Amino acid sequence: MLRDFTPHVVGVNRLSNSRGDKMGATTVAIERDEDEVTASTQKRGEGGAWRVLDMAKKHRSRVSWAFRSRFSSLMAIFVTAAIILVVSTATRGGNGALREAIEVFPVRDLGKEKACDLFNGRWVYESSTRPLYSERSCRFMSDQSACEKFGRKNLKYQGWRWQPHGCNLPSFNATNLLERLRGKRLAYVGDSLNRNQWISMVCLLDSLIPDHLKSVETTGSLSSFKAKEYNASVEFYWSPLLVESNSDDPVHHRIPDRIIRAQSIEKHGKHWMGADILVFNSYLWWRRNKMKVLWGSFEDKWGIYKEIDILRSYEMALRTWAEWLEFHVDTQKTRLFFMSISPTHFWGDEWGIDSSQNCYNETEPIAKEGYWGRGSDRRMMQLVESTIEGLTKRGVNVQILNITQLSEYRKDGHPSIFRKQWESVTEEQLANPSSYADCIHWCLPGVPDVWNELLYTYILFR
């Protein structure tokens, strides 16, 4: 039942720009160093012989100054050409990729830095370029996200693209991404929202690959999409609380009395070991007041259990996750990302309708800039930020992809009742569709495609 996921009213931190807070902006730029050449002056000598020597010095000084000036000019030209060559090489093959790369990661112009916050912007309806794939044509579409298949008639949710303020996202190019992933592993690790994003990525790549050269294999908690021609894999690993828990079964995990082993992650971590790109998330399953923490194993009858405040238990799990990354990830090989909160839309009073209503029957995004729903706990993302800051100080870089604000606007993008129902729907529920609407996950094509466009931008252009 979806009631298991009902969030509570939460506090405030600095991640969003709503209610006076500024968004935790990611600012990226390619900078060009400018050389400055200063000519030194010589003192004038006196007397005949000294005057001759002084003239010789001046001559040498002029020659030296001219040489240094020309050398500096040549170096400036060389540096500029090198930057253009690097950007051109990194983006060759895309549709206008060089222009797009410069727009997203602009050059510092005459000391005035132009920068782009990819996560701050607006939704623009553009049915001529959206959706990026067809729900029906994606062989690996999930019934949890196939809203058209399960009866949704209004498909406008598929036609929106994200427009950052001041720049454009590069066009998603599946060939470029597959080339970058050649011989590599991209792994999503987390809960069903990370699985939502994984399916989106699989569908974005699916149409490019012939049927006999692609497959999806599932073993336990690990599902892997294989692009055989590229020797590449795009994987999803079910680990909703990051650390070991009694909800780790990928199918049977609806357990009301959740328990974590806050200091144990090796059971999961061994499946991520060696991945070239790791994309983590963990929030949805922490939405409760307290979490039961176990010291000992689940098989140990002498294990110690204690209920701990949710912020403290989340912090404990993040610390274990961070320590695993620090000691088990090759930072020269592996790139690390953490997805911020994926928002829910359970309370209609937040956008001006009756409080008993939710995302059911919503067909338009929220227009109010900076809108923030009460289901997104900024305090928890502050814990993620501080954990990642600590990792950075220890030489492990994790990039937060701040999808929260842009996703907050999309009350229209959830499956609502248009998905496979895993449990029989009662007559009472049918009479009140809002009572069983899924306002957590996302229809595909849809919002998670933009999350992957942001990930694509960082993988190829950052």
Side-chain angles (χ1 to χ4, degrees):
M1 296 290 291
L2 289 174
R3 292 178 185 173
D4 187 39
F5 299 104
T6 302
H8 55 281
V9 178
V10 297
V12 178
N13 82 5
R14 68 178 183 274
L15 190 64
S16 172
N17 63 357
S18 63
R19 300 177 187 174
D21 294 331
K22 290 187 177 180
M23 195 76 166
T26 299
T27 302
V28 288
I30 296 174
E31 299 179 357
R32 182 185 64 203
D33 294 328
E34 297 179 357
D35 293 322
E36 294 181 356
V37 179
T38 303
S40 60
T41 58
Q42 303 285 338
K43 291 184 177 180
R44 301 176 68 95
E46 296 181 359
W50 295 108
R51 194 165 284 128
V52 172
L53 288 173
D54 188 54
M55 291 173 66
K57 287 179 182 178
K58 287 180 180 178
H59 178 71
R60 287 196 302 270
S61 178
R62 291 191 193 100
V63 172
S64 176
W65 183 90
F67 176 77
R68 288 198 303 272
S69 179
R70 289 173 184 170
F71 177 76
S72 297
S73 297
L74 288 171
M75 284 299 296
I77 293 170
F78 174 77
V79 169
T80 302
I83 290 173
I84 292 172
L85 178 62
V86 168
V87 175
S88 176
T89 301
T91 62
R92 188 176 298 137
N95 298 324
L98 175 58
R99 174 185 58 77
E100 292 165 343
I102 292 175
E103 286 179 351
V104 177
F105 302 102
V107 175
R108 177 175 289 180
D109 183 19
L110 299 178
K112 296 179 181 179
E113 183 176 338
K114 299 176 182 177
C116 174
D117 176 4
L118 296 177
F119 310 112
N120 190 16
R122 61 193 175 92
W123 289 95
V124 176
Y125 188 72
E126 196 172 273
S127 58
S128 61
T129 61
R130 301 281 158 156
L132 298 177
Y133 55 87
S134 164
E135 175 194 304
R136 296 180 181 182
S137 65
C138 179
R139 287 184 58 201
F140 308 106
M141 178 60 65
S142 166
D143 282 349
Q144 190 174 49
S145 303
C147 301
E148 183 180 2
K149 173 182 176 181
F150 286 93
R152 183 162 181 173
K153 302 301 181 185
N154 186 311
L155 303 182
K156 190 174 181 180
Y157 68 90
Q158 299 182 0
W160 297 90
R161 68 172 178 84
W162 178 245
Q163 176 63 61
H165 292 322
C167 61
N168 296 316
L169 279 175
S171 299
F172 186 90
N173 187 301
T175 302
N176 284 354
L177 182 58
L178 284 167
E179 285 293 347
R180 184 61 61 91
L181 294 178
R182 187 179 289 277
K184 293 183 171 64
R185 293 172 59 202
L186 162 60
Y188 295 85
V189 177
D191 59 28
S192 56
L193 289 158
N194 240 20
R195 181 170 57 208
N196 211 169
Q197 187 177 357
W198 170 70
I199 293 167
S200 161
M201 180 62 83
V202 170
C203 290
L204 285 165
L205 301 175
D206 175 55
S207 63
L208 190 71
I209 306 170
D211 287 350
H212 68 284
L213 292 177
K214 61 189 174 187
S215 64
V216 168
E217 301 168 1
T218 298
T219 304
S221 296
L222 182 66
S223 297
S224 182
F225 171 78
K226 304 282 188 183
K228 299 174 185 177
E229 181 182 359
Y230 294 88
N231 188 29
S233 64
V234 180
E235 304 171 1
F236 169 72
Y237 184 85
W238 173 261
S239 181
L241 296 150
L242 293 182
V243 294
E244 187 177 348
S245 75
N246 65 344
S247 299
D248 287 341
D249 189 291
V251 178
H252 305 291
H253 45 250
R254 292 290 185 87
I255 300 173
D257 188 22
R258 290 180 194 155
I259 304 170
I260 63 168
R261 296 182 65 205
Q263 296 175 315
S264 178
I265 200 170
E266 291 78 10
K267 169 187 170 183
H268 300 317
K270 64 185 179 182
H271 296 282
W272 322 329
M273 189 81 73
D276 299 276
I277 301 170
L278 281 167
V279 183
F280 295 95
N281 91 319
S282 189
Y283 173 74
L284 178 66
W285 286 63
W286 296 90
R287 286 178 10 187
R288 50 185 58 212
N289 293 323
K290 292 181 180 292
M291 181 71 74
K292 187 175 286 187
V293 179
L294 165 65
W295 281 266
S297 69
F298 287 107
E299 295 77 23
D300 183 5
K301 65 180 180 179
W302 304 111
I304 300 173
Y305 294 84
K306 185 174 180 62
E307 282 198 338
I308 298 178
D309 174 79
I310 199 64
L311 291 176
R312 185 71 182 94
S313 56
Y314 189 52
E315 183 181 28
M316 293 167 65
L318 287 173
R319 183 185 303 140
T320 299
W321 167 78
E323 289 176 354
W324 189 91
L325 293 180
E326 182 180 0
F327 295 111
H328 294 88
V329 167
D330 180 356
T331 56
Q332 299 302 311
K333 173 191 175 185
T334 302
R335 299 190 64 180
L336 302 168
F337 297 90
F338 197 100
M339 307 302 296
S340 69
I341 295 169
S342 172
T344 60
H345 293 92
F346 279 113
W347 302 284
D349 62 303
E350 294 181 340
W351 57 88
I353 63 174
D354 192 271
S355 60
S356 64
Q357 300 301 305
N358 52 31
C359 70
Y360 173 67
N361 264 350
E362 292 293 338
T363 59
E364 297 284 336
I366 294 170
K368 180 182 177 182
E369 186 166 3
Y371 164 84
W372 190 273
R374 59 182 180 263
S376 301
D377 190 339
R378 296 183 179 97
R379 299 170 303 168
M380 296 187 73
M381 286 315 301
Q382 188 177 36
L383 289 175
V384 172
E385 284 184 323
S386 60
T387 301
I388 288 175
E389 286 171 4
L391 276 171
T392 301
K393 292 175 182 177
R394 301 196 296 274
V396 181
N397 294 315
V398 182
Q399 175 64 53
I400 295 178
L401 294 187
N402 196 349
I403 61 168
T404 308
Q405 184 66 79
L406 66 91
S407 305
E408 286 280 5
Y409 301 126
R410 294 301 306 276
K411 61 181 171 59
D412 61 310
H414 299 287
S416 179
I417 65 172
F418 303 108
R419 48 163 282 185
K420 181 175 181 178
Q421 302 299 327
W422 310 108
E423 299 174 0
S424 298
V425 180
T426 66
E427 292 294 329
E428 184 180 357
Q429 287 176 318
L430 288 172
N432 179 21
S434 291
S435 65
Y436 69 102
D438 179 354
C439 299
I440 295 174
H441 303 96
W442 303 92
C443 296
L444 292 176
V447 173
D449 300 331
V450 172
W451 303 350
N452 280 321
E453 286 182 280
L454 291 163
L455 178 64
Y456 167 87
T457 299
Y458 272 87
I459 292 174
L460 264 75
F461 299 101
R462 177 63 167 169

